[in-house]
Amino acid sequence: MEQTHSMDHHRSHNPNSSQQNRHSAYKRRRDDNGRRPNHHQSQSGSTPWQNPPRSRGLSTRRELYERDFPVYKQPVEVGCFSLDSERRFFNDSRQLRYYAEPERNPNFDLKDGYKDRYIKRDESVKEKLDHILRWILANRSKLSSKATTASSCALDVDFVTWRGHLTKLLTTPYEAREGWLLAVTRFRGTLYISEVETEAARRERDNRTERHAEMMYWGYKFEQYTCADNVHSLPDPGGVVNTNEGFCTVVQTRLSDHRLLFSGEVDCRDKDPKAPAPPACYVELKTSLEITTPKQRSNFHRFKLIKWWAQSFLPGVPRVVAGFRDHDGVVVAVETFPISKMSQLIKSEQNCWKPTVCMNFCCDFLSFVKQTATEDDPGVVYLFSYEPHRDVTYSIHRDSQYSFLPHWYVEEISRSQDSHH
């Protein structure tokens, strides 16, 4: 990964694109009949559009984002935390595992243990940003602004969120199937972004087939075959798979003029003592159906690689190790994909995804949020909504079910800041 991620080789080669498309993509578009598309109404009953009309929607049309790759600073790990088998938070790396490279054709049975050695996290419990907020409270000295004026914000960052929420933003211009809802609250100058489960996602979770549930287990099982608890031990595929456990990196970076602090789960790290410092020593593990036809390869490049790329590019994880499995859940081949080479792999595909479009859309979305979410109040939530092939829209909610900053966090940040001033 390059030092600043300006990534010249990803730049658009359309000579007109920079000039034509540099105008903001958050122009209010009319539909084909000249009518304004419908938008959510504000919960409070007042009009939600407190900004000029031009900012009411954010276009997701790809051609608007074919500009130069935005500056993305090399992500720096500022800390980490662990979640134990009961989902308890620890401000340390006790859950970090070590990558044990498997054979090229390992024959791992991913079904093993599904019936009798599997403890599954309760997906109906919505943790929101709570774990990141606990980390922030335990590590404020690393994040506090140098400024001492009364107007200084609690944290020296513009946005706090999960890596997974940013991944969804990066892939939005190419996402034709799933919408999303992102709740945003401005508190003490920092914008917090937390996902809200859509009705469609909740239905999918409630109606999941047994086959789908088992295939979700397969990904965790592959990790068990390839991860050891410490540098000197070997993986233990006979143990229990417990999806409550996790190790998360916390990174700080900057996308254009947006200062970001986000956290994401990390599967494992390189065993080599000479490996680079985190996050460059981390390894992302994936499973995927083996590719046997040109059509499957094209679909893999088009739909899967974009998510793998976005998820690892954001925190600066340099490689994905993929276990390719057959229909019976047996891993028949293992392949390593460097993140820096993924955009080369897709070059031959017609109308495939472009990293520059992904990053520019994310950058413009964050600008749109800054311009929209102006009221600094933990009880006010700006709910941003995306439906495939539509503009991103928003609504405003006061003291509603969408509020997500917990009292313990708001009180502690307020208390420490007020005493500081």
Side-chain angles (χ1 to χ4, degrees), residues 163-164 166-168 170-172 174-178 284 286 300-315 320 339 342 353 358:
R163 180 263 315 269
L166 295 174
T167 300
K168 284 201 167 163
L170 261 66
T171 58
T172 292
Y174 299 97
E175 181 51 70
R177 296 210 318 234
E178 293 175 5
E284 180 66 37
K286 296 288 186 192
F300 172 75
H301 286 159
R302 197 176 287 270
F303 303 116
K304 205 150 244 189
L305 275 191
I306 183 174
K307 291 181 175 165
W308 292 7
W309 170 81
Q311 184 184 21
S312 292
F313 178 79
L314 281 164
V320 172
I339 300 305
M342 283 188 181
W353 57 276
C358 298

Side-chain angles (χ1 to χ4, degrees), residues 81 83 87 89 127 129-136 162:
F81 59 86
L83 302 170
R87 211 67 186 159
F89 172 94
E127 296 168 332
L129 297 185
D130 289 13
H131 297 311
I132 306 171
L133 303 181
R134 284 195 178 88
W135 182 87
I136 288 172
W162 282 108

